[in-house]
mmCIF file of all heavy atoms in Angstrom:
data_model
loop_
_atom_site.group_PDB
_atom_site.id
_atom_site.type_symbol
_atom_site.label_atom_id
_atom_site.label_comp_id
_atom_site.label_asym_id
_atom_site.label_seq_id
_atom_site.Cartn_x
_atom_site.Cartn_y
_atom_site.Cartn_z
ATOM 1 N N GLY A 629 -178.492 141.746 -82.534
ATOM 2 C CA GLY A 629 -177.557 142.680 -83.133
ATOM 3 C C GLY A 629 -176.228 142.057 -83.498
ATOM 4 O O GLY A 629 -175.328 142.774 -83.990
ATOM 5 N N ALA A 630 -176.036 140.761 -83.265
ATOM 6 C CA ALA A 630 -174.754 140.105 -83.608
ATOM 7 C C ALA A 630 -174.565 140.087 -85.130
ATOM 8 O O ALA A 630 -175.483 139.854 -85.894
ATOM 9 C CB ALA A 630 -174.723 138.684 -83.070
ATOM 10 N N GLN A 631 -173.342 140.376 -85.555
ATOM 11 C CA GLN A 631 -173.025 140.428 -87.004
ATOM 12 C C GLN A 631 -172.251 139.195 -87.422
ATOM 13 O O GLN A 631 -171.525 138.588 -86.620
ATOM 14 C CB GLN A 631 -172.168 141.675 -87.287
ATOM 15 C CG GLN A 631 -172.876 142.996 -86.965
ATOM 16 C CD GLN A 631 -174.056 143.276 -87.861
ATOM 17 O OE1 GLN A 631 -174.047 142.953 -89.054
ATOM 18 N NE2 GLN A 631 -175.081 143.922 -87.316
ATOM 19 N N MET A 632 -172.409 138.839 -88.684
ATOM 20 C CA MET A 632 -171.615 137.735 -89.240
ATOM 21 C C MET A 632 -170.250 138.256 -89.665
ATOM 22 O O MET A 632 -170.186 139.181 -90.469
ATOM 23 C CB MET A 632 -172.301 137.075 -90.426
ATOM 24 C CG MET A 632 -171.562 135.823 -90.925
ATOM 25 S SD MET A 632 -172.066 135.277 -92.607
ATOM 26 C CE MET A 632 -173.802 134.950 -92.390
ATOM 27 N N PRO A 633 -169.142 137.690 -89.157
ATOM 28 C CA PRO A 633 -167.813 138.135 -89.592
ATOM 29 C C PRO A 633 -167.637 137.979 -91.104
ATOM 30 O O PRO A 633 -168.153 137.038 -91.704
ATOM 31 C CB PRO A 633 -166.867 137.188 -88.838
ATOM 32 C CG PRO A 633 -167.654 136.761 -87.630
ATOM 33 C CD PRO A 633 -169.066 136.676 -88.093
ATOM 34 N N GLY A 634 -166.940 138.953 -91.701
ATOM 35 C CA GLY A 634 -166.804 138.977 -93.154
ATOM 36 C C GLY A 634 -166.151 137.746 -93.747
ATOM 37 O O GLY A 634 -166.566 137.247 -94.815
ATOM 38 N N ASN A 635 -165.129 137.200 -93.053
ATOM 39 C CA ASN A 635 -164.464 136.033 -93.626
ATOM 40 C C ASN A 635 -165.360 134.804 -93.618
ATOM 41 O O ASN A 635 -165.288 133.918 -94.484
ATOM 42 C CB ASN A 635 -163.186 135.718 -92.843
ATOM 43 C CG ASN A 635 -163.447 135.369 -91.379
ATOM 44 O OD1 ASN A 635 -164.270 136.022 -90.741
ATOM 45 N ND2 ASN A 635 -162.756 134.369 -90.876
ATOM 46 N N ILE A 636 -166.289 134.737 -92.631
ATOM 47 C CA ILE A 636 -167.247 133.615 -92.592
ATOM 48 C C ILE A 636 -168.231 133.752 -93.749
ATOM 49 O O ILE A 636 -168.574 132.775 -94.435
ATOM 50 C CB ILE A 636 -168.004 133.572 -91.252
ATOM 51 C CG1 ILE A 636 -167.019 133.279 -90.126
ATOM 52 C CG2 ILE A 636 -169.106 132.537 -91.299
ATOM 53 C CD1 ILE A 636 -167.660 133.166 -88.760
ATOM 54 N N ARG A 637 -168.698 134.986 -94.016
ATOM 55 C CA ARG A 637 -169.620 135.201 -95.142
ATOM 56 C C ARG A 637 -168.987 134.745 -96.442
ATOM 57 O O ARG A 637 -169.633 134.097 -97.264
ATOM 58 C CB ARG A 637 -170.009 136.668 -95.222
ATOM 59 C CG ARG A 637 -171.031 136.987 -96.321
ATOM 60 C CD ARG A 637 -171.291 138.486 -96.417
ATOM 61 N NE ARG A 637 -171.830 138.981 -95.163
ATOM 62 C CZ ARG A 637 -173.109 138.863 -94.815
ATOM 63 N NH1 ARG A 637 -173.953 138.230 -95.588
ATOM 64 N NH2 ARG A 637 -173.516 139.367 -93.664
ATOM 65 N N SER A 638 -167.722 135.102 -96.648
ATOM 66 C CA SER A 638 -167.029 134.717 -97.890
ATOM 67 C C SER A 638 -166.940 133.199 -98.016
ATOM 68 O O SER A 638 -167.196 132.635 -99.080
ATOM 69 C CB SER A 638 -165.617 135.317 -97.924
ATOM 70 O OG SER A 638 -165.684 136.709 -97.815
ATOM 71 N N HIS A 639 -166.610 132.530 -96.893
ATOM 72 C CA HIS A 639 -166.507 131.083 -96.933
ATOM 73 C C HIS A 639 -167.871 130.414 -97.201
ATOM 74 O O HIS A 639 -167.951 129.450 -97.977
ATOM 75 C CB HIS A 639 -165.945 130.582 -95.601
ATOM 76 C CG HIS A 639 -165.617 129.118 -95.576
ATOM 77 N ND1 HIS A 639 -164.630 128.547 -96.324
ATOM 78 C CD2 HIS A 639 -166.224 128.078 -94.899
ATOM 79 C CE1 HIS A 639 -164.595 127.253 -96.109
ATOM 80 N NE2 HIS A 639 -165.565 126.945 -95.268
ATOM 81 N N LEU A 640 -168.926 130.937 -96.578
ATOM 82 C CA LEU A 640 -170.282 130.371 -96.788
ATOM 83 C C LEU A 640 -170.749 130.610 -98.205
ATOM 84 O O LEU A 640 -171.447 129.768 -98.788
ATOM 85 C CB LEU A 640 -171.249 130.953 -95.781
ATOM 86 C CG LEU A 640 -171.001 130.653 -94.300
ATOM 87 C CD1 LEU A 640 -172.168 131.151 -93.458
ATOM 88 C CD2 LEU A 640 -170.804 129.165 -94.070
ATOM 89 N N LEU A 641 -170.441 131.770 -98.756
ATOM 90 C CA LEU A 641 -170.819 132.054 -100.142
ATOM 91 C C LEU A 641 -170.159 131.093 -101.108
ATOM 92 O O LEU A 641 -170.815 130.579 -102.040
ATOM 93 C CB LEU A 641 -170.461 133.497 -100.489
ATOM 94 C CG LEU A 641 -170.894 134.001 -101.882
ATOM 95 C CD1 LEU A 641 -172.416 133.876 -102.053
ATOM 96 C CD2 LEU A 641 -170.464 135.439 -102.096
ATOM 97 N N GLU A 642 -168.891 130.797 -100.881
ATOM 98 C CA GLU A 642 -168.184 129.816 -101.712
ATOM 99 C C GLU A 642 -168.858 128.441 -101.601
ATOM 100 O O GLU A 642 -169.028 127.727 -102.605
ATOM 101 C CB GLU A 642 -166.730 129.710 -101.288
ATOM 102 C CG GLU A 642 -165.881 130.955 -101.634
ATOM 103 C CD GLU A 642 -164.486 130.829 -101.045
ATOM 104 O OE1 GLU A 642 -164.107 129.712 -100.615
ATOM 105 O OE2 GLU A 642 -163.768 131.862 -101.050
ATOM 106 N N THR A 643 -169.228 128.076 -100.388
ATOM 107 C CA THR A 643 -169.903 126.796 -100.153
ATOM 108 C C THR A 643 -171.249 126.743 -100.878
ATOM 109 O O THR A 643 -171.598 125.725 -101.495
ATOM 110 C CB THR A 643 -170.119 126.558 -98.642
ATOM 111 O OG1 THR A 643 -168.865 126.645 -97.967
ATOM 112 C CG2 THR A 643 -170.752 125.209 -98.392
ATOM 113 N N ALA A 644 -172.004 127.832 -100.819
ATOM 114 C CA ALA A 644 -173.313 127.893 -101.472
ATOM 115 C C ALA A 644 -173.176 127.745 -102.992
ATOM 116 O O ALA A 644 -173.981 127.082 -103.637
ATOM 117 C CB ALA A 644 -174.019 129.181 -101.116
ATOM 118 N N ILE A 645 -172.151 128.396 -103.546
ATOM 119 C CA ILE A 645 -171.925 128.306 -104.998
ATOM 120 C C ILE A 645 -171.602 126.865 -105.392
ATOM 121 O O ILE A 645 -172.138 126.336 -106.402
ATOM 122 C CB ILE A 645 -170.784 129.240 -105.419
ATOM 123 C CG1 ILE A 645 -171.210 130.707 -105.251
ATOM 124 C CG2 ILE A 645 -170.360 128.991 -106.857
ATOM 125 C CD1 ILE A 645 -170.089 131.722 -105.418
ATOM 126 N N LYS A 646 -170.791 126.188 -104.577
ATOM 127 C CA LYS A 646 -170.467 124.777 -104.839
ATOM 128 C C LYS A 646 -171.714 123.911 -104.750
ATOM 129 O O LYS A 646 -171.897 122.964 -105.535
ATOM 130 C CB LYS A 646 -169.417 124.289 -103.852
ATOM 131 C CG LYS A 646 -168.032 124.899 -104.075
ATOM 132 C CD LYS A 646 -167.048 124.403 -103.015
ATOM 133 C CE LYS A 646 -165.689 125.063 -103.186
ATOM 134 N NZ LYS A 646 -164.750 124.659 -102.120
ATOM 135 N N MET A 647 -172.587 124.210 -103.797
ATOM 136 C CA MET A 647 -173.818 123.424 -103.630
ATOM 137 C C MET A 647 -174.711 123.587 -104.847
ATOM 138 O O MET A 647 -175.328 122.629 -105.316
ATOM 139 C CB MET A 647 -174.559 123.883 -102.371
ATOM 140 C CG MET A 647 -173.898 123.482 -101.068
ATOM 141 S SD MET A 647 -174.598 124.314 -99.607
ATOM 142 C CE MET A 647 -176.312 123.881 -99.705
ATOM 143 N N GLU A 648 -174.816 124.818 -105.389
ATOM 144 C CA GLU A 648 -175.648 125.046 -106.575
ATOM 145 C C GLU A 648 -175.083 124.341 -107.798
ATOM 146 O O GLU A 648 -175.817 123.796 -108.619
ATOM 147 C CB GLU A 648 -175.802 126.560 -106.807
ATOM 148 C CG GLU A 648 -176.673 127.260 -105.799
ATOM 149 C CD GLU A 648 -177.179 128.613 -106.269
ATOM 150 O OE1 GLU A 648 -177.287 128.790 -107.508
ATOM 151 O OE2 GLU A 648 -177.458 129.462 -105.425
ATOM 152 N N GLU A 649 -173.739 124.379 -107.921
ATOM 153 C CA GLU A 649 -173.126 123.679 -109.063
ATOM 154 C C GLU A 649 -173.366 122.184 -108.974
ATOM 155 O O GLU A 649 -173.582 121.495 -109.991
ATOM 156 C CB GLU A 649 -171.633 123.981 -109.093
ATOM 157 C CG GLU A 649 -171.294 125.422 -109.479
ATOM 158 C CD GLU A 649 -169.815 125.729 -109.342
ATOM 159 O OE1 GLU A 649 -169.071 124.862 -108.792
ATOM 160 O OE2 GLU A 649 -169.405 126.828 -109.753
ATOM 161 N N LYS A 650 -173.290 121.647 -107.757
ATOM 162 C CA LYS A 650 -173.473 120.221 -107.563
ATOM 163 C C LYS A 650 -174.924 119.798 -107.827
ATOM 164 O O LYS A 650 -175.162 118.636 -108.198
ATOM 165 C CB LYS A 650 -173.112 119.883 -106.117
ATOM 166 C CG LYS A 650 -173.062 118.404 -105.783
ATOM 167 C CD LYS A 650 -172.615 118.174 -104.360
ATOM 168 C CE LYS A 650 -172.606 116.705 -103.999
ATOM 169 N NZ LYS A 650 -172.196 116.456 -102.608
ATOM 170 N N ARG A 651 -175.845 120.722 -107.684
ATOM 171 C CA ARG A 651 -177.263 120.390 -107.881
ATOM 172 C C ARG A 651 -177.527 119.965 -109.320
ATOM 173 O O ARG A 651 -178.338 119.046 -109.548
ATOM 174 C CB ARG A 651 -178.115 121.607 -107.493
ATOM 175 C CG ARG A 651 -179.598 121.345 -107.549
ATOM 176 C CD ARG A 651 -180.408 122.543 -107.106
ATOM 177 N NE ARG A 651 -180.269 122.787 -105.674
ATOM 178 C CZ ARG A 651 -179.761 123.876 -105.124
ATOM 179 N NH1 ARG A 651 -179.281 124.821 -105.903
ATOM 180 N NH2 ARG A 651 -179.680 124.002 -103.852
ATOM 181 N N GLY A 652 -176.937 120.619 -110.286
ATOM 182 C CA GLY A 652 -177.103 120.231 -111.689
ATOM 183 C C GLY A 652 -178.462 120.558 -112.240
ATOM 184 O O GLY A 652 -179.323 121.149 -111.553
ATOM 185 N N MET A 653 -178.685 120.132 -113.490
ATOM 186 C CA MET A 653 -179.949 120.441 -114.172
ATOM 187 C C MET A 653 -181.146 119.705 -113.536
ATOM 188 O O MET A 653 -182.248 120.262 -113.445
ATOM 189 C CB MET A 653 -179.842 120.090 -115.654
ATOM 190 C CG MET A 653 -178.851 120.937 -116.420
ATOM 191 S SD MET A 653 -179.163 122.729 -116.242
ATOM 192 C CE MET A 653 -180.737 122.870 -117.063
ATOM 193 N N ARG A 654 -180.918 118.474 -113.098
ATOM 194 C CA ARG A 654 -182.012 117.711 -112.459
ATOM 195 C C ARG A 654 -182.439 118.408 -111.148
ATOM 196 O O ARG A 654 -183.623 118.505 -110.857
ATOM 197 C CB ARG A 654 -181.589 116.294 -112.157
ATOM 198 C CG ARG A 654 -181.518 115.387 -113.381
ATOM 199 C CD ARG A 654 -181.404 113.950 -112.982
ATOM 200 N NE ARG A 654 -182.604 113.487 -112.299
ATOM 201 C CZ ARG A 654 -182.718 112.272 -111.760
ATOM 202 N NH1 ARG A 654 -181.705 111.422 -111.795
ATOM 203 N NH2 ARG A 654 -183.841 111.922 -111.167
ATOM 204 N N GLY A 655 -181.435 118.916 -110.425
ATOM 205 C CA GLY A 655 -181.773 119.624 -109.199
ATOM 206 C C GLY A 655 -182.533 120.898 -109.469
ATOM 207 O O GLY A 655 -183.484 121.231 -108.734
ATOM 208 N N LYS A 656 -182.119 121.630 -110.508
ATOM 209 C CA LYS A 656 -182.853 122.863 -110.871
ATOM 210 C C LYS A 656 -184.290 122.551 -111.317
ATOM 211 O O LYS A 656 -185.216 123.277 -110.985
ATOM 212 C CB LYS A 656 -182.105 123.596 -112.003
ATOM 213 C CG LYS A 656 -180.790 124.200 -111.543
ATOM 214 C CD LYS A 656 -180.080 124.895 -112.705
ATOM 215 C CE LYS A 656 -178.740 125.491 -112.240
ATOM 216 N NZ LYS A 656 -177.999 126.151 -113.364
ATOM 217 N N ALA A 657 -184.451 121.433 -112.051
ATOM 218 C CA ALA A 657 -185.788 121.046 -112.486
ATOM 219 C C ALA A 657 -186.671 120.720 -111.268
ATOM 220 O O ALA A 657 -187.863 121.080 -111.239
ATOM 221 C CB ALA A 657 -185.704 119.821 -113.397
ATOM 222 N N LYS A 658 -186.077 120.098 -110.256
ATOM 223 C CA LYS A 658 -186.838 119.792 -109.026
ATOM 224 C C LYS A 658 -187.269 121.057 -108.319
ATOM 225 O O LYS A 658 -188.397 121.155 -107.814
ATOM 226 C CB LYS A 658 -186.000 118.925 -108.100
ATOM 227 C CG LYS A 658 -185.839 117.491 -108.551
ATOM 228 C CD LYS A 658 -185.048 116.680 -107.536
ATOM 229 C CE LYS A 658 -184.922 115.220 -107.970
ATOM 230 N NZ LYS A 658 -184.183 114.409 -106.978
ATOM 231 N N LEU A 659 -186.386 122.046 -108.270
ATOM 232 C CA LEU A 659 -186.739 123.322 -107.630
ATOM 233 C C LEU A 659 -187.898 124.011 -108.349
ATOM 234 O O LEU A 659 -188.813 124.551 -107.708
ATOM 235 C CB LEU A 659 -185.526 124.275 -107.614
ATOM 236 C CG LEU A 659 -184.359 123.882 -106.703
ATOM 237 C CD1 LEU A 659 -183.235 124.934 -106.798
ATOM 238 C CD2 LEU A 659 -184.823 123.765 -105.239
ATOM 239 N N ILE A 660 -187.879 123.965 -109.687
ATOM 240 C CA ILE A 660 -188.944 124.588 -110.471
ATOM 241 C C ILE A 660 -190.285 123.883 -110.193
ATOM 242 O O ILE A 660 -191.326 124.533 -109.982
ATOM 243 C CB ILE A 660 -188.588 124.557 -111.966
ATOM 244 C CG1 ILE A 660 -187.410 125.470 -112.262
ATOM 245 C CG2 ILE A 660 -189.808 124.975 -112.805
ATOM 246 C CD1 ILE A 660 -186.837 125.329 -113.659
ATOM 247 N N VAL A 661 -190.247 122.561 -110.162
ATOM 248 C CA VAL A 661 -191.454 121.783 -109.883
ATOM 249 C C VAL A 661 -191.987 122.118 -108.506
ATOM 250 O O VAL A 661 -193.201 122.343 -108.308
ATOM 251 C CB VAL A 661 -191.167 120.265 -110.015
ATOM 252 C CG1 VAL A 661 -192.332 119.454 -109.434
ATOM 253 C CG2 VAL A 661 -190.952 119.859 -111.472
ATOM 254 N N GLN A 662 -191.108 122.205 -107.507
ATOM 255 C CA GLN A 662 -191.552 122.502 -106.138
ATOM 256 C C GLN A 662 -192.145 123.913 -106.046
ATOM 257 O O GLN A 662 -193.140 124.133 -105.346
ATOM 258 C CB GLN A 662 -190.358 122.347 -105.182
ATOM 259 C CG GLN A 662 -189.918 120.913 -104.977
ATOM 260 C CD GLN A 662 -188.660 120.797 -104.153
ATOM 261 O OE1 GLN A 662 -188.360 121.667 -103.323
ATOM 262 N NE2 GLN A 662 -187.895 119.747 -104.408
#
């Protein structure tokens, strides 16, 4: 029943967006292949 604090969720979401941007087109192509 433990909840994730809202400020942590916001920080992790920003991190995830940066990770997706860093992946680039080659990274997206790899995901599609997998």
